[in-house]
Amino acid sequence: MSSKIQQTQKKSYKEILSSTVSFHIPTFQRAYNWKPKQLEQLWGSVINNDKQYYIGNIVVVQHSTEDIQSGYLVIDGQQRLTTLSLFLVAIRNYISKDKEKDKSKQQLQKHKEMMEELRSSLIFSTSFSDESKIKLVFSKKNLSEVYRKLVQDEVLQEDLLDEAQTRFVKNLRYINQLLRDYLKENTKPIKTAIQELVSKILELEFIIIECRNESDVYQIFEGLNSTGLELSVVDLVKNTVFKRIKESDTLALKNAEKTWEEMENNFEQSNINLFSKFLRHQWISNYGYINTSQLYDAIKKKLDEEMHNSQEIIKFVVDMRDDAALYIALRTGNSEFFRDKILKGTKDSEVEKYLSAFILLDSDQIYEVLLAYCKKFISVDGYTKQQYTSDLKRLWNLGLLIKVVSSVNPSKYEKKFADRCKSLANYKGKEYNKESDKFYVDLWDLVKDRKDEFLKNFNDTFVYKKGNDQNNELIRFILLTIYQQKNKGVTYEIKTVEHILSQSKYELEDFLHQIGNLTILSREMNRAASDKDFGIKYQNYYSTDIFEYNKILNKYPFDTEPKEATVQRANDIAMEAFKIFSIT
């Protein structure tokens, strides 16, 4: 057992619920907003398997607040605990309604016994009067409130519920329907079917992993092989931030919670899995290299040493939210954000072009430096647009080279990225260009001797794929950048990818969609050229096109040796690409 794990136990869901501690759920939407398919999958895991079915891990650390003296903070397993409890609420509701219809004394006693069993699973006593007895406690008070009412079977004024509470209620309704459908299809008597279902739920088995402290959880989460844990470490950071605001300072807590929720919602609306990556990339963009296992302790130390009051904590959260908004825009190619926040209402097609193109590279590490560049450009007047544009262009070129030259170890350039971020924090005006050039010379050393690998991989890396807009846009960007070297001033937006050889004639050939058989035309010419043979397309369109690269297509034997022609042309384009996308 890892020294960071206090104990590991195998427990049934019933044993978990019968413990004398509360389970604190630090909530992202994932804890209460499972999609119908996810609810169905968990429901199916219960009804389609035998009793004592293993349902997964629950990772916890001991946790207490002013209200909860003994409890666990649930780091992983939030969704399962929440949703299984709603399964029990749904069954309780069904039995309650059935009880009203059944007047026999014997059946009433059976109803009572089942109701007591379900009640004791959801609370610490048979009394619903004290909400602190509810076993699941949510960090968001609005969710704790709606959950308490669902457990107590109180009437809800749905027009007064907020969006998060409504999602919670909708999940329960969907579970109610799953239960009704299950009982309708079951051939056994309803009472028997319900008893068996409750037994299956309560006998589900978990591995409970109790860590010594939150820092240990953060350090071992990568080895626990659990899909939700990356997001849960974000909850750990949130928890350690908010613990530094006194619960009695309600205004500061409210402001911090509102700001954090804005950030959280932004990630949930774009891609929630980016949140954990952002935490590390933001740290590197500000302070230099750190590995994932060290990050939580570094954040905690910074908070301990530099955040001495509520206002400083709030500023820390506000800065994080603003950086997150920029990070999300960069990772989603949000042109409107670029024009509004980075260019501050001005227009610059070159800056916008490159900012929008980083998403095409599908690289994580590059956003550490990109975030640092953008923050510096927004905040420092001395960092000129010319310097910024040059940095964007060279960083993008590097990303492309690394994408093709796959043998470059990411750790080699990521630490150089981190050092660059650190130097940006110590910006020195006139020395900037010199430092920037040195940075790219060092990075060029990683790829300059790998030209043969670049040429070998180029044709196989860039293959047109129907329905994959990001991949195809990257091919367009590469070809157009190369073409524009000989045709300055050609508008970027109006050009599109064209297959040189007929797609219907060569549809079974591997070379059809490779970059050697792709070129750039205007949309109008592309439609007109359609699926015609090469000779016709060359005579009517390529030979008269503005691009020199189209005018010389007849030097390749597309008519007589189509495969050889695509290979030759791909190699020529790769040679030109290695030169044009250099970073020195």
Side-chain angles (χ1 to χ4, degrees):
M1 184 187 301
S2 167
S3 61
K4 295 175 174 42
I5 297 176
Q6 185 163 311
Q7 61 178 334
T8 301
Q9 300 179 70
K10 187 176 184 180
K11 285 189 176 183
S12 69
Y13 184 46
K14 184 175 183 178
E15 288 174 320
I16 294 171
L17 294 175
S18 63
S19 64
T20 57
V21 297
S22 299
F23 289 90
H24 186 87
I25 308 291
T27 44
F28 273 109
Q29 285 186 13
R30 70 182 188 278
Y32 60 90
N33 190 34
W34 273 18
K35 299 294 186 287
K37 184 177 180 181
Q38 293 171 296
L39 294 172
E40 289 171 8
Q41 287 174 342
L42 185 59
W43 181 261
S45 295
V46 175
I47 65 173
N48 295 324
N49 289 288
D50 294 332
K51 291 181 181 181
Q52 299 179 322
Y53 176 71
Y54 170 68
I55 203 73
N57 297 336
I58 295 179
V59 183
V60 298
V61 291
Q62 289 190 359
H63 179 73
S64 62
T65 67
E66 291 180 6
D67 296 325
I68 305 170
Q69 298 305 317
S70 177
Y72 284 120
L73 181 69
V74 181
I75 306 303
D76 189 43
Q78 301 165 355
Q79 288 175 316
R80 279 162 289 159
L81 285 178
T82 302
T83 306
L84 288 174
S85 73
L86 291 183
F87 285 179
L88 298 181
V89 170
I91 296 169
R92 190 279 313 278
N93 291 348
Y94 188 93
I95 295 172
S96 181
K97 290 179 181 178
D98 194 44
K99 177 182 175 183
E100 295 173 5
K101 302 174 186 177
D102 202 332
K103 302 301 181 183
S104 71
K105 190 173 182 179
Q106 183 179 8
Q107 292 302 326
L108 282 174
Q109 181 59 32
K110 288 184 178 180
H111 281 302
K112 183 178 179 181
E113 291 172 358
M114 292 186 71
M115 291 281 283
E116 291 298 330
E117 182 176 21
L118 293 170
R119 182 182 288 116
S120 64
S121 298
L122 297 167
I123 62 172
F124 286 117
S125 69
T126 56
S127 170
F128 283 106
S129 60
D130 184 355
E131 67 178 88
S132 68
K133 297 297 184 183
I134 302 293
K135 292 186 175 181
L136 289 188
V137 181
F138 295 85
S139 61
K140 291 183 178 178
K141 293 181 181 178
N142 58 338
L143 294 184
S144 274
E145 177 65 15
V146 73
Y147 178 74
R148 180 186 63 79
K149 288 184 176 181
L150 292 175
V151 169
Q152 294 178 343
D153 199 18
E154 292 183 13
V155 176
L156 293 170
Q157 292 182 270
E158 295 197 30
D159 56 330
L160 299 180
L161 299 180
D162 62 30
E163 184 179 355
Q165 291 172 319
T166 300
R167 291 193 190 102
F168 212 121
V169 173
K170 284 183 178 179
N171 272 0
L172 179 58
R173 282 184 180 153
Y174 194 82
I175 293 167
N176 288 339
Q177 186 60 51
L178 290 174
L179 175 62
R180 288 193 293 270
D181 291 344
Y182 169 75
L183 294 175
K184 185 178 179 180
E185 296 169 4
N186 201 298
T187 57
K188 297 178 181 178
I190 287 179
K191 300 295 186 302
T192 303
I194 288 177
Q195 287 174 332
E196 290 182 353
L197 177 59
V198 171
S199 180
K200 275 190 170 186
I201 293 173
L202 294 178
E203 291 186 34
L204 289 169
E205 293 192 337
F206 293 86
I207 298 295
I208 311 298
I209 302 173
E210 182 182 347
C211 295
R212 296 184 308 171
N213 53 54
E214 294 168 10
S215 178
D216 287 345
V217 175
Y218 203 99
Q219 291 183 42
I220 69 169
F221 84 92
E222 289 180 295
L224 291 175
N225 192 28
S226 184
T227 56
L229 214 46
E230 277 196 27
L231 295 179
S232 298
V233 296
V234 177
D235 287 328
L236 284 178
V237 173
K238 176 181 177 180
N239 189 57
T240 200
V241 170
F242 279 54
K243 278 198 303 189
R244 283 156 179 78
I245 301 177
K246 294 180 180 179
E247 293 190 22
S248 58
D249 193 348
T250 55
L251 181 60
L253 267 175
K254 186 176 181 180
N255 287 339
E257 287 174 355
K258 182 180 178 182
T259 303
W260 188 282
E261 190 166 349
E262 288 175 16
M263 176 170 58
E264 189 175 298
N265 288 340
N266 284 340
F267 278 108
E268 286 177 334
Q269 289 167 14
S270 56
N271 182 351
I272 191 62
N273 294 314
L274 292 177
F275 205 157
S276 59
K277 292 179 180 179
F278 161 72
L279 289 178
R280 179 168 178 263
H281 289 170
Q282 188 216 22
W283 182 276
I284 291 175
S285 75
N286 286 325
Y287 311 112
Y289 184 79
I290 196 166
N291 62 40
T292 301
S293 63
Q294 296 170 330
L295 180 60
Y296 177 81
D297 282 339
I299 293 174
K300 187 172 179 292
K301 182 179 179 182
K302 183 175 181 62
L303 290 167
D304 289 339
E305 294 179 352
E306 300 181 23
M307 308 293 144
H308 305 298
N309 56 57
S310 297
Q311 291 309 309
E312 290 176 342
I313 295 293
I314 291 173
K315 185 181 184 306
F316 178 83
V317 177
V318 168
D319 289 345
M320 183 179 285
R321 177 202 61 189
D322 293 344
D323 283 356
L326 173 57
Y327 184 81
I328 291 169
L330 293 171
R331 299 219 57 153
T332 56
N334 187 337
S335 296
E336 184 178 345
F337 186 98
F338 301 151
R339 288 190 291 269
D340 184 32
K341 302 296 184 182
I342 297 178
L343 295 170
K344 300 175 183 176
T346 63
K347 290 184 178 180
D348 190 304
S349 59
E350 191 76 354
V351 169
E352 288 184 44
K353 180 177 96 170
Y354 277 98
L355 286 176
S356 300
F358 278 97
I359 189 175
L360 305 178
L361 297 174
D362 195 27
S363 167
D364 278 339
Q365 294 87 352
I366 212 161
Y367 288 96
E368 301 158 359
V369 184
L370 184 57
L371 184 61
Y373 281 151
C374 293
K375 287 167 61 178
K376 186 63 65 175
F377 181 67
I378 291 170
S379 62
V380 177
D381 292 336
Y383 181 34
T384 67
K385 186 181 287 187
Q386 182 179 1
Q387 290 171 325
Y388 178 54
T389 305
S390 175
D391 280 330
L392 293 180
K393 182 177 179 180
R394 289 197 283 183
L395 184 62
W396 195 93
N397 289 356
L398 173 69
L400 180 72
L401 293 171
I402 290 171
K403 184 179 182 71
V404 181
V405 182
S406 56
S407 64
V408 179
N409 190 325
S411 65
K412 288 187 176 181
Y413 57 80
E414 187 176 40
K415 289 189 176 180
K416 292 181 183 293
F417 284 178
D419 290 341
R420 178 62 172 155
C421 291
K422 198 170 183 179
S423 69
L424 279 172
N426 301 314
Y427 177 77
K428 296 178 181 178
K430 291 182 179 180
E431 294 294 315
Y432 181 83
N433 289 339
K434 183 178 179 180
E435 292 177 4
S436 184
D437 290 342
K438 183 180 184 306
F439 169 63
Y440 288 109
V441 167
D442 287 346
L443 288 169
W444 179 242
D445 286 342
L446 296 178
V447 295
K448 69 180 182 181
D449 295 328
R450 301 175 192 255
K451 183 177 180 179
D452 289 344
E453 182 183 350
F454 182 91
L455 299 179
K456 180 181 178 182
N457 294 348
F458 188 84
N459 197 30
D460 292 332
T461 301
F462 301 113
V463 179
Y464 187 90
K465 299 173 184 176
K466 290 182 180 180
N468 191 332
D469 293 341
Q470 183 168 311
N471 172 77
N472 301 340
E473 179 60 20
L474 176 57
I475 293 172
R476 185 175 86 104
F477 188 98
I478 292 168
L479 290 176
L480 193 51
T481 301
I482 294 172
Y483 284 20
Q484 285 176 323
Q485 294 297 305
K486 291 186 178 180
N487 298 83
K488 303 292 184 182
V490 176
T491 305
Y492 173 77
E493 286 79 10
I494 64 171
K495 306 301 176 183
T496 188
V497 176
E498 150 79 358
H499 286 77
I500 297 169
L501 293 169
S502 166
Q503 293 192 62
S504 60
K505 185 175 180 179
Y506 295 100
E507 62 180 342
L508 299 180
E509 300 291 348
D510 292 339
F511 58 76
L512 176 64
H513 297 302
Q514 290 179 327
I515 198 167
N517 187 45
L518 302 174
T519 188
I520 297 292
L521 278 179
S522 69
R523 288 191 175 92
E524 293 74 17
M525 274 195 175
N526 197 331
R527 283 193 291 267
S530 187
D531 201 32
K532 297 179 176 63
D533 285 340
F534 171 75
I536 297 173
K537 287 201 283 188
Y538 180 78
Q539 181 178 351
N540 295 336
Y541 308 106
Y542 301 148
S543 64
T544 61
D545 189 53
I546 187 173
F547 285 131
E548 292 297 321
Y549 278 96
N550 283 334
K551 291 178 181 179
I552 63 171
L553 283 175
N554 64 337
K555 78 174 187 178
Y556 302 102
F558 281 107
D559 270 338
T560 56
E561 298 178 75
K563 182 174 181 179
E564 180 63 26
T566 60
V567 171
Q568 288 179 18
R569 184 166 176 275
N571 188 65
D572 288 347
I573 294 173
M575 293 278 287
E576 194 67 18
F578 193 78
K579 179 174 66 176
I580 288 174
F581 294 109
S582 69
I583 56 177
T584 54

